[in-house]
Structures are given as C-alpha cells and as structure tokens.
Amino acid sequence: IQKDGDTITVKRMLEDGYMTIKVKTPCLITCIKELNTPRYMSVGGVFEAYSKPMTTYDYEALKDDPLIDATTIGLKGSPTNIFKSFTPPQKGAGQMLEGADKATCEKLADILAKKHII
C-alpha cells in the first residue's frame, strides 16, 4: 500500500498474478486472512479493555460531518431489506449407540439406511 496525497495505490492479489489499483480517499481497504497471524491479547490487556470508557456516536454527534447524510444512515438508509425472519425448527434428540463391535456397526448402518442416508 502506497499513499500519495489523497490517493492510495494497492496491489491486489489474483489467482494468476497481481492487479495494481489506484483509488482516491476516503476509501475502504480489506485484506485476506492469510496476510497476518493475529495474536491473542494478554490477560492484563483484556482486563484493561474492560476498564476503558466506550464512546457511542449517534447522528446528533456526527451531523456536522460533510460525509454524513441523514438519508443514508440508520434503518431508512440501509440498503438491506429483510423479507422474512424466522427461527429454524429444533432438531430432535440424537441417538447414542454403545459399543464398538460388529453388531453396533450393523445397527448404525441399518438406522442410516432406513433414513436413506446411505
């Protein structure tokens, strides 16, 4: 990533090579998960994070920003439309088979065959 004034030049990895892209800021840049190996937080860092204050910004706090438009934020400005929301049906209780002999294997194969899994 190279920044030059209000433009950023990035190399995008493709299957057969790279693509160079030049974009003006502000922009959003994402990366692949293989780019870095995340590290775990220390125990002290976790406790420290809980004690830090968290600031929540609402529209009133951000309305003077030229990039914030009331018609493009919140529920009315969301491009996502939810047509149906539901809870999937609960699955029945599982069945445990005891033993590691041939009879147990045959019983398992019979159960799977009756359910047309095998």
Side-chain angles (χ1 to χ4, degrees):
I1 300 173
Q2 296 174 345
K3 186 172 191 284
D4 182 29
D6 65 343
T7 61
I8 294 177
T9 306
V10 295
K11 271 174 62 173
R12 179 181 177 203
M13 186 171 71
L14 302 172
E15 290 181 10
D16 57 346
Y18 290 92
M19 173 191 295
T20 303
I21 301 171
K22 189 173 189 176
V23 64
K24 293 186 106 180
T25 58
C27 63
L28 173 68
I29 299 174
T30 61
C31 62
I32 58 174
K33 64 181 179 178
E34 289 83 11
L35 184 66
N36 188 22
T37 303
R39 59 182 167 77
Y40 290 102
M41 290 180 63
S42 65
V43 174
V46 171
F47 285 117
E48 187 179 325
Y50 278 110
S51 65
K52 293 197 177 205
M54 184 169 58
T55 306
T56 302
Y57 295 99
D58 60 0
Y59 175 69
E60 290 299 318
L62 300 173
K63 68 181 178 183
D64 295 330
D65 191 304
L67 297 175
I68 303 295
D69 181 14
T71 61
T72 61
I73 61 174
L75 185 59
K76 292 180 182 177
S78 175
T80 304
N81 295 316
I82 300 173
F83 295 107
K84 181 180 178 183
S85 176
F86 65 94
T87 303
Q90 290 188 345
K91 296 184 177 183
Q95 182 178 0
M96 296 292 291
L97 299 177
E98 300 278 334
D101 56 352
K102 186 176 180 181
T104 306
C105 293
E106 288 174 355
K107 187 175 180 181
L108 175 61
D110 186 49
I111 292 170
L112 295 175
K114 285 180 182 176
K115 294 185 179 202
H116 303 289
I117 296 174
I118 58 171

